[in-house]
């Protein structure tokens, strides 16, 4: 996808980037995305993670959705389709570091769940990532201009989506940004500021770290930009996250070092350092 916001944070030649590693971690790339037909499905994710145990397997999530109908869908076909869309958005597989750590943070931070869902869905849906560009340019109190979102989607997908599909993406993305707290209102979508928790901040830093960003750069990535919080305040939140046991951070003499090893397994640490 042209102008993928992820790549703005990566200081390397796009042709040499480790896409296969990033996909193994849980990121997704390309010109398609779940937002052609769904939102971030925050309510469904909440129901699913409430239904399943903290150590649930990939098969357990499928069973909860399809066999036990924990999402309350009317038909078996709708259950299967909902499961497919949720796997696209979140992975639903603890072998994927992004989902495993989402689940860990989810149970630890009820207040931060909408932002945790948004960050994960952004990592896995390129279309949702692109819609962040007009959202981040908005000021609190400003009304969303749908045409701006349409224009950035059309440019990024190189006109591969027709007008009808673009309209669906804008409608679904607007709903997703409302579910996350960045927008409010039903007909007229008004920008408002979100307030991240220490756990959400740690997760946002983790996503940047997994993509190879380090030091001060971690506080200027797409993931931290959507938290609507200046770097100085994010550093303070990261210090709180350290006290909660989510990461390690040292800040002295203008230099900053962040380690997310506390959130990673030994195999995951080895994977990202290969």
């Amino acid at each position: 996808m042209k102008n993928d916001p992820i790549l703005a944070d990566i200081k390397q030649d796009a042709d040499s980037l480790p896409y296969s590693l990033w996909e193994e971690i849980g990121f997704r790339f390309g010109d398609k995305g779940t937002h052609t037909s769904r939102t971030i499905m925050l309510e469904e994710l909440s129901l699913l993670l409430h239904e399943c145990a903290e150590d649930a397997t990939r098969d357990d999530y499928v069973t909860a959705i399809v066999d036990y109908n924990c999402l309350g869908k009317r038909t078996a076909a709708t259950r299967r389709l909902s499961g497919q869309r949720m796997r696209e958005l979140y992975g639903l597989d603890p072998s994927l570091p992004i989902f495993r750590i989402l689940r860990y943070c989810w149970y630890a931070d009820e207040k931060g769940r909408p932002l945790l869902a948004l960050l994960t869905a952004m990592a896995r849906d390129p279309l949702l990532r692109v819609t962040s560009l007009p959202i981040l340019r908005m000021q609190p109190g400003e009304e969303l201009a749908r045409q701006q979102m349409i224009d950035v989607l059309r440019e990024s997908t190189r006109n591969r989506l027709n007008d009808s599909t673009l309209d669906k993406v804008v409608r679904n993305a607007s709903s997703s940004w409302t579910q996350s707290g960045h927008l409010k209102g039903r007909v007229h979508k008004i920008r408002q500021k979100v307030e991240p928790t220490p756990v959400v901040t740690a997760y946002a830093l983790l996503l940047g770290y997994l993509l190879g960003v380090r030091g001060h750069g971690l506080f200027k990535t797409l993931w931290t930009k959507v938290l609507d919080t200046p770097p100085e305040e994010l550093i303070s939140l990261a210090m709180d996250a350290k006290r909660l046991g989510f990461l390690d951070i040292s800040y002295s003499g203008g230099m900053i070092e962040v380690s997310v090893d506390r959130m990673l397994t030994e195999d995951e640490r080895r994977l990202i350092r290969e």
Side-chain angles (χ1 to χ4, degrees):
M1 176 177 288
K2 181 181 178 183
N3 300 329
D4 189 327
I6 277 184
L7 303 184
D9 305 322
I10 311 300
K11 309 301 183 183
Q12 298 180 38
D13 186 325
D15 294 333
S16 66
L17 294 175
Y19 289 104
S20 59
L21 169 62
W22 292 345
E23 289 172 346
E24 188 174 352
I25 291 170
F27 292 92
R28 296 176 73 223
F29 301 89
D31 292 327
K32 298 180 180 179
T34 308
H35 274 71
T36 55
S37 61
R38 291 291 191 278
T39 71
I40 60 172
M41 304 175 73
L42 177 61
E43 181 179 354
E44 287 90 340
L45 180 64
S46 299
L47 289 169
L48 180 63
L49 294 182
H50 176 75
E51 177 71 20
C52 294
E54 294 186 33
D55 60 350
T57 66
R58 181 182 184 279
D59 289 342
D60 291 334
Y61 292 111
V62 174
T63 298
I65 295 170
V66 177
D67 296 341
Y68 298 146
N69 194 22
C70 71
L71 305 183
K73 303 301 180 181
R74 292 185 178 181
T75 67
T78 305
R79 295 174 201 168
R80 288 192 293 270
L81 182 59
S82 295
Q84 177 184 334
R85 296 293 180 255
M86 291 194 71
R87 287 194 299 275
E88 292 171 6
L89 286 168
Y90 300 108
L92 304 187
D93 185 344
S95 70
L96 296 173
I98 282 180
F99 175 70
R100 185 190 65 76
I101 299 169
L102 161 70
R103 185 173 64 178
Y104 174 65
C105 293
W106 184 274
Y107 292 119
D109 183 15
E110 183 175 354
K111 180 181 177 182
R113 289 174 180 178
L115 286 175
L116 291 170
L118 176 81
L119 289 167
T120 309
M122 286 178 60
R124 295 187 55 79
D125 189 338
L127 292 178
L128 180 61
R129 285 202 294 273
V130 168
T131 67
S132 70
L133 298 175
I135 294 294
L136 292 176
R137 287 196 292 263
M138 296 174 66
Q139 297 298 316
E142 182 180 348
E143 183 176 346
L144 175 67
R146 288 174 54 87
Q147 190 59 48
Q148 292 182 7
M149 195 173 284
I150 290 173
D151 290 344
V152 74
L153 283 164
R154 181 176 284 119
E155 178 184 5
S156 295
T157 59
R158 300 180 177 89
N159 295 313
R160 292 181 183 179
L161 302 180
N162 60 36
D163 290 345
S164 176
T165 302
L166 283 172
D167 185 67
K168 290 178 182 177
V169 175
V170 170
R171 184 168 59 250
N172 289 330
S174 298
S175 175
S176 290
W177 289 104
T178 302
Q179 292 174 52
S180 70
H182 289 82
L183 299 175
K184 63 179 179 180
R186 294 181 60 85
V187 178
H188 301 287
K189 298 292 187 180
I190 307 300
R191 183 70 157 92
Q192 60 181 3
K193 184 179 181 295
V194 298
E195 296 183 0
T197 64
V199 173
V200 167
T201 303
Y203 188 65
L205 294 173
L206 168 91
L207 293 174
Y209 193 97
L210 293 176
L211 291 168
V213 185
R214 298 292 185 269
H216 277 286
L218 285 167
F219 296 86
K220 301 176 183 179
T221 66
L222 172 66
W223 319 108
T224 50
K225 288 175 183 174
V226 301
L227 303 185
D228 289 342
T229 303
E232 308 79 45
E233 295 181 27
L234 289 174
I235 291 173
S236 178
L237 287 166
M239 293 292 187
D240 290 339
K242 175 182 179 179
R243 287 189 282 272
L244 292 172
F246 282 83
L247 50 73
D248 289 299
I249 179 172
S250 61
Y251 186 39
S252 177
M255 300 297 292
I256 188 165
E257 293 185 9
V258 176
S259 170
V260 298
D261 281 0
R262 293 198 196 187
M263 289 186 280
L264 300 172
T265 66
E266 182 177 347
D267 287 342
E268 291 165 353
R269 290 194 290 271
R270 187 180 304 113
L271 176 66
I272 65 175
R273 288 167 182 160
E274 288 180 350

